[in-house]
Amino acid sequence: MAGIGSSNYWEDLRKQARQLENELDLKLVSFSKLCTSYSSSRDGRRGETSDTTPLLNNSTQDRMFDTMSVEIEQLLAKLTGVNDKMAEYTNTPGSASLNAALMHTLQRHRDILQDYTHEFHKTKGNFLAIREREDLLGSVRKDIETYKSGSGVNNRRTELFLKEHEHLRNSDRLMDDTISIAMSTKENMTSQRGMLKSIHSRVNTLANRFPTINNLIQRINLRKRRDSLVLGSVIGVCTILLLLYAFH
């Protein structure tokens, strides 16, 4: 009965080991796909703009990676515990006759555990390396975009300053032209004033030298005033007559 109980214990351990190995195999396949999709999505997003949203973003993939890593580590720990129990069983006195077959089976399970452990750490290391590289590249791209944005702002400010400077230069040029025109007009008016004074002075001189001319000028002025008075009187009388005719 003891041998039957021991045999059942060994079979139970083998069933547990196979079950854990199957679960690990499925988990590692999904884990490898996750890491591959993470790398592909990162490469695909390099050419995308900030307003495009992938179906599975980085934070979701990171959470899935952490969750699956913990699950796989737990399964590896359980499988390691089962293998240790199987190793203890092979050292029991009752299993000496079957020791060679048991050791062969145990070695096969240990090899599977080693392969799964190696595959897990390799995939995990690749994932962490990709994430670290992409985080570094993302930080560099962000710095470049920040620098470009700052340069754009500086360029716009410089352009505004240049436009304002050009506007001030044009205003100064217009003021200089206006002042030049005013100075030239002043000089012309001064020159004309001098000419009029000279002409008036010459006329007075001629009038003083030749009394006849002076008398003639005075007569002409008197006649002009008389003609103006006559013309004004005629216009006044005509206006009065027109008003009387209009009111009657």
Side-chain angles (χ1 to χ4, degrees), residues 9 13 16-21 24 71-89 106 109-118 120-121:
Y9 178 70
L13 291 175
Q16 293 179 23
R18 285 196 295 269
Q19 182 179 357
L20 291 171
E21 288 168 358
L24 276 169
E71 293 175 352
I72 293 173
E73 288 174 351
Q74 291 175 350
L75 290 173
L76 289 174
K78 290 180 180 179
L79 184 57
T80 301
V82 172
N83 284 346
D84 292 340
K85 291 179 180 179
M86 293 173 71
E88 292 177 359
Y89 178 80
L106 175 61
H109 286 293
R110 283 178 171 174
D111 291 340
I112 293 174
L113 174 61
Q114 184 178 2
D115 291 340
Y116 284 162
T117 303
H118 176 72
F120 169 68
H121 287 299

Side-chain angles (χ1 to χ4, degrees), residues 17-36:
R18 285 196 295 269
Q19 182 179 357
L20 291 171
E21 288 168 358
N22 291 333
E23 292 181 9
L24 276 169
D25 185 65
L26 295 175
K27 288 287 184 181
L28 287 173
V29 171
S30 300
F31 191 65
S32 179
K33 289 182 180 179
L34 174 65
C35 296
T36 302

